[in-house]
Amino acid sequence: MEMEIAGVRYHVEVLNTDKAPTIVFLHGFTGSSKTWDEVVKFFPDYKIVQVDLIGHGRTESPEDSARYTMERQIDDLDVLLRQLKVERFALVGYSMGGRTALAYACTHPERLGALVLESSSPGLKNVSDRLERQQRDSELALKILANGIASFVNSWENIPLFNSQKSLPVNVRQVVRAERLSQNPLGLANSLIGMGTGSQSSYWGKLNKLEVPVLLLSGTLDPKFMAIAEEMKQTLPKVQHGVIEAGHALHVEKPAEFATMVKEYLSLHYRGGKS
């Protein structure tokens, strides 16, 4: 379905509409609601809401990068879910979607029954690191706009973060590539500038106050985000860290294992309630 939120047309998929409680899924950079197709089939007893974040999938890509800030994305998400009459829910986010999910949780903790963060971070702690990352993201954004989506995807799918995906079956890799190629170059560029890791606020200082039950999921082949999860685990009050033998995109590489770990966690920690 299409929903207009603060002047931006969002694409949203809602499954199992007669069910409660609810799980909301947020995709990563270059993704869309389609990224969860192999996962959501494991959750027939939950209402499922999948949102194409701003600049991604079939959601609009405004020209002004200021429209893409993390704060505005959180506001859009909150309005969108309230319009869907989703009052309390579990929130699952991958990578960029995980940063968004954590930012949402820190802003609206009362709305969440549980939080699942896959290969995610609370941002960068130091101002100098954020400025350096902003510069790199701005340069990448300019390349996307100058060279087009195909050139960007050819480069993006070969960065070290996704090395483990090269051993996936051809049909799986084709689906991932098609999803990336379907993106709007302007949306990706503005997403990097507006809500990239360097542009967003750091949420490290808010973790110790987050009383929502949190499941951190990371892959053994993704040492950077394994280490981030271990550090987050030291601070979050109600946290569990699950590990899967996979790379950055656990839900793509091991969808059944990923879904099983999420289901088991939610069955124990998310009481939910009617939405």
Side-chain angles (χ1 to χ4, degrees), residues 47-65:
K47 181 192 289 185
I48 301 294
V49 179
Q50 300 155 260
V51 182
D52 285 2
L53 295 171
I54 191 167
H56 285 77
R58 286 187 272 175
T59 289
E60 279 188 317
S61 300
E63 290 188 18
D64 183 4
S65 62

Side-chain angles (χ1 to χ4, degrees), residues 167-185:
S167 59
L168 291 172
V170 172
N171 64 310
V172 176
R173 283 184 281 135
Q174 286 174 336
V175 169
V176 173
R177 179 174 170 82
E179 185 179 30
R180 289 168 173 161
L181 286 170
S182 70
Q183 304 296 334
N184 183 328

Side-chain angles (χ1 to χ4, degrees), residues 171-224:
N171 64 310
V172 176
R173 283 184 281 135
Q174 286 174 336
V175 169
V176 173
R177 179 174 170 82
E179 185 179 30
R180 289 168 173 161
L181 286 170
S182 70
Q183 304 296 334
N184 183 328
L186 178 64
L188 294 187
N190 279 342
S191 179
L192 282 170
I193 294 167
M195 58 185 286
T197 307
S199 298
Q200 73 157 76
S201 300
S202 170
Y203 286 88
W204 280 103
K206 298 188 177 182
L207 297 185
N208 63 342
K209 299 179 184 67
L210 188 62
E211 293 295 331
V212 176
V214 180
L215 173 63
L216 305 173
L217 291 174
S218 46
T220 56
L221 305 178
D222 184 13
K224 175 182 175 181

Side-chain angles (χ1 to χ4, degrees), residues 8 156 195 199 240 245 266-267:
V8 174
W156 184 249
M195 58 185 286
S199 298
Q240 184 174 315
E245 189 174 341
L266 294 184
S267 70

Side-chain angles (χ1 to χ4, degrees), residues 10-255:
Y10 274 82
H11 179 77
V12 186
E13 301 277 348
V14 183
L15 308 175
N16 311 328
T17 54
D18 59 329
K19 304 292 185 181
T22 300
I23 309 175
V24 178
F25 287 89
L26 303 180
H27 61 80
F29 182 65
T30 75
S32 68
S33 53
K34 289 183 177 299
T35 197
W36 303 108
D37 283 355
E38 293 302 311
V39 170
V40 295
K41 64 178 71 170
F42 291 97
F43 295 89
D45 297 324
Y46 290 85
K47 181 192 289 185
I48 301 294
V49 179
Q50 300 155 260
V51 182
D52 285 2
L53 295 171
I54 191 167
H56 285 77
R58 286 187 272 175
T59 289
E60 279 188 317
S61 300
E63 290 188 18
D64 183 4
S65 62
R67 185 62 182 82
Y68 293 68
T69 64
M70 183 64 80
E71 290 77 12
R72 296 194 73 175
Q73 178 63 91
I74 294 166
D75 288 346
D76 287 357
L77 191 59
D78 194 52
V79 172
L80 184 153
L81 292 169
R82 290 182 190 277
Q83 286 191 13
L84 289 173
K85 299 191 179 345
V86 175
E87 299 302 331
R88 186 169 170 80
F89 52 96
L91 185 56
V92 178
Y94 159 64
S95 200
M96 178 192 78
R99 289 190 288 107
T100 307
L102 178 58
Y104 184 93
C106 290
T107 308
H108 301 285
E110 73 287 350
R111 304 266 279 133
L112 297 190
L115 177 65
V116 179
L117 302 176
E118 174 195 358
S119 304
S120 304
S121 90
L124 296 168
K125 295 177 184 177
N126 302 321
V127 173
S128 59
D129 290 342
R130 290 203 291 275
L131 290 172
E132 182 185 337
R133 181 61 181 267
Q134 281 179 37
Q135 181 63 33
R136 282 193 281 133
D137 282 348
S138 294
E139 290 170 1
L140 180 56
L142 289 172
K143 280 186 182 177
I144 295 172
L145 293 174
N147 301 330
I149 196 70
S151 174
F152 164 68
V153 170
N154 289 339
S155 172
W156 184 249
E157 64 189 6
N158 283 296
I159 66 174
L161 194 65
F162 302 126
N163 277 347
S164 56
Q165 293 185 17
K166 293 178 180 177
S167 59
L168 291 172
V170 172
N171 64 310
V172 176
R173 283 184 281 135
Q174 286 174 336
V175 169
V176 173
R177 179 174 170 82
E179 185 179 30
R180 289 168 173 161
L181 286 170
S182 70
Q183 304 296 334
N184 183 328
L186 178 64
L188 294 187
N190 279 342
S191 179
L192 282 170
I193 294 167
M195 58 185 286
T197 307
S199 298
Q200 73 157 76
S201 300
S202 170
Y203 286 88
W204 280 103
K206 298 188 177 182
L207 297 185
N208 63 342
K209 299 179 184 67
L210 188 62
E211 293 295 331
V212 176
V214 180
L215 173 63
L216 305 173
L217 291 174
S218 46
T220 56
L221 305 178
D222 184 13
K224 175 182 175 181
F225 282 87
M226 280 279 291
I228 290 171
E230 281 299 315
E231 188 174 357
M232 292 173 71
K233 185 181 174 183
Q234 305 307 312
T235 308
L236 287 160
K238 300 176 182 177
V239 63
Q240 184 174 315
H241 183 198
V243 176
I244 295 176
E245 189 174 341
H248 191 62
L250 313 174
H251 68 283
V252 173
E253 297 181 36
K254 299 282 181 70

